[in-house]
C-alpha cells in the first residue's frame, strides 16, 4: 500500500483483515484460503483506489503478483 501511495488508508482497512492472521502473525490457512484472502484484499484496494483517485485500475495486478510470489 505504501508503494501505491495508499499507506495512510491502512488503519481503516486493517480491521477488515482481522482473523486472517494468528496472534503470531502467521496467515491462518485453516480459517481462510490464501487465494480468497488475496481476492478480498484486492477488492478493498480497488475501493480505496476509487475513493482516492477515481481509478480502480491503479491496483490491477495486485492479486496476480501476490499469488505468483507468495502462494507457494
Amino acid at each position: 500500500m505504501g508503494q501505491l501511495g495508499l499507506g495512510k488508508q491502512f488503519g481503516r482497512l486493517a480491521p477488515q483483515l482481522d482473523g486472517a492472521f494468528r496472534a503470531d502473525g502467521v496467515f491462518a490457512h485453516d480459517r481462510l484460503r490464501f487465494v480468497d484472502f488475496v481476492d478480498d484484499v484486492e477488492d478493498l484496494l480497488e475501493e480505496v483506489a476509487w475513493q482516492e483517485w477515481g481509478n480502480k485500475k491503479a491496483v490491477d495486478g495486485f492479486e496476480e503478483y501476490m499469488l505468483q510470489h507468495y502462494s507457494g
Side-chain angles (χ1 to χ4, degrees):
M1 288 186 71
Q3 290 177 343
L4 291 171
L6 299 173
K8 65 183 177 182
Q9 299 291 338
F10 182 75
R12 183 173 70 87
L13 297 179
Q16 296 182 50
L17 305 176
D18 191 34
F21 295 90
R22 293 190 174 92
D24 60 3
V26 174
F27 183 75
H29 291 282
D30 57 331
R31 294 185 215 152
L32 181 66
R33 291 182 336 142
F34 185 71
V35 294
D36 294 335
F37 171 74
V38 171
D39 187 51
D40 291 345
V41 171
E42 184 177 54
D43 291 344
L44 291 171
L45 289 175
E46 285 176 348
E47 177 185 326
V48 170
W50 178 254
Q51 292 171 357
E52 291 285 320
W53 305 315
N55 181 6
K56 290 182 178 185
K57 300 274 184 201
V59 295
D60 273 357
F62 171 81
E63 185 172 9
E64 182 180 337
Y65 175 86
M66 292 298 291
L67 294 176
Q68 284 178 350
H69 289 87
Y70 299 107
S71 69

